[in-house]
Amino acid sequence: LKDPLCRENQLGREMYKLCIFNFLTTFFNTFFMNYPRKLLQEKYPTSLLARLAGKQRFLIPFNVLDLVYIQTVSWVGVYYCPLLPLIGIVTLMAVFYIKKFSVLRCCVAEQRMFRASNSSVLFYFMLLLGLLMAATTPVLDFYQSKQANNFRISCGPFKNQETVFNVTNVCVKSLPSSAQTALHYLSSEAFALPLLLAEIIILTSYVSRGRANRKAIERLKDMLVMCSSDKRFLVKQHATLLRGQKNANRVRPVAVEQRKLLHEESL
């Protein structure tokens, strides 16, 4: 990234700046604005400044769009700044814990439950738009550089290479011999075939286990249905017995009175 006139370098530099700036914005907004405001509201809840500051709420749509923004920046700059995905992964992990601290310590609970179905279409559309931007930008730039420089990349991180994959060979050749041997083995058929077989075995075991779990769930559902039907039958039988006992208790006094009357008439 030393050539100031190279637009590829400039674009990669700007994507790097956007990723770092977004992380710093999230960090300072949480620990230097939201957290002090929460402390102020806890210690001085009736003060004028606390009432003017208000309560912080965790806005799910805003935070989801923030994640979409970071993902789009990583996608757009992956060709012009190869280390940007690694930086994006680290910043996303840090942002996750910062957001978790913000939710648990700085925000109050929402009174209404958020429904993801209301905004899921917008989130998917924004992700699709970012993916299209990330795919279109390097394709157009690569095509223009090929037409202008006789099929040779003269600018950017892949300078003086016919294809972007040639940089991988140059980087591998600059490594020690032990690392080169390990990488060549990892990219050979001797490693790919056992890996493929292991993946097939693992996937097969997971699929068979999933099918067995589904069958067990169906059996448990049938057992629950049978138990509920047995309970209903027992309840009906119990109700029938109770009604029979009540009727028997009502008949017994009448029979006793009739016997007494017959005895008195006989005397």
Side-chain angles (χ1 to χ4, degrees), residues 30-263:
T30 301
F31 293 102
F32 291 92
M33 291 185 63
N34 296 334
Y35 187 60
R37 180 168 65 177
K38 183 66 175 179
L39 294 178
L40 178 64
Q41 291 174 355
E42 290 179 352
K43 294 183 178 181
Y44 308 100
T46 59
S47 63
L48 179 62
L49 185 60
R51 286 182 292 178
L52 291 176
K55 296 181 179 181
Q56 175 68 20
R57 299 184 184 276
F58 189 78
L59 302 177
I60 295 179
F62 175 77
N63 287 277
V64 172
L65 290 177
D66 189 20
L67 295 177
V68 171
Y69 168 75
I70 298 175
Q71 185 65 55
T72 304
V73 169
S74 300
W75 282 343
V76 173
V78 66
Y79 178 78
Y80 306 101
C81 185
L83 291 179
L84 190 61
L86 179 61
I87 299 172
I89 291 172
V90 175
T91 54
L92 281 175
M93 292 178 63
V95 165
F96 170 76
Y97 289 103
I98 292 173
K99 296 288 186 182
K100 181 180 179 180
F101 174 82
S102 177
V103 171
L104 298 178
R105 191 67 184 85
C106 304
C107 299
V108 296
E110 285 283 350
Q111 297 180 355
R112 295 184 304 172
M113 184 178 295
F114 176 76
R115 295 182 178 179
S117 59
N118 297 334
S119 305
S120 59
V121 177
L122 176 62
F123 299 153
Y124 291 146
F125 175 74
M126 295 300 294
L127 276 175
L128 180 61
L129 183 61
L131 183 60
L132 291 176
M133 290 174 56
T136 304
T137 304
V139 168
L140 292 177
D141 190 25
F142 186 71
Y143 178 75
Q144 292 177 359
S145 63
K146 285 291 187 179
Q147 294 294 327
N149 296 284
N150 194 15
F151 297 98
R152 198 171 188 83
I153 303 174
S154 61
C155 190
F158 309 104
K159 186 177 180 180
N160 297 326
Q161 301 293 333
E162 294 182 357
T163 63
V164 296
F165 303 103
N166 293 340
V167 180
T168 306
N169 296 328
V170 175
C171 294
V172 170
K173 290 179 180 178
S174 63
L175 296 174
S177 59
S178 59
Q180 293 184 23
T181 304
L183 290 176
H184 283 301
Y185 173 73
L186 293 176
S187 61
S188 63
E189 295 82 0
F191 177 77
L193 184 58
L195 180 62
L196 182 61
L197 293 175
E199 290 179 354
I200 292 173
I201 293 172
I202 293 172
L203 290 176
T204 304
S205 63
Y206 273 108
V207 170
S208 60
R209 185 179 300 177
R211 291 177 180 175
N213 291 333
R214 284 195 296 270
K215 291 181 180 180
I217 291 171
E218 292 177 357
R219 292 174 183 173
L220 291 174
K221 288 181 179 179
D222 295 336
M223 292 176 63
L224 288 174
V225 172
M226 293 176 63
C227 290
S228 61
S229 61
D230 292 340
K231 288 180 180 179
R232 291 174 185 174
F233 175 74
L234 292 174
V235 168
K236 289 180 181 180
Q237 291 293 110
H238 182 66
T240 304
L241 291 174
L242 289 177
R243 284 196 297 268
Q245 290 179 359
K246 289 180 180 179
N247 294 330
N249 293 331
R250 290 177 183 177
V251 171
R252 285 177 183 177
V254 175
V256 171
E257 291 179 359
Q258 289 180 355
R259 290 178 182 177
K260 287 181 179 180
L261 290 174
L262 293 172
H263 182 69

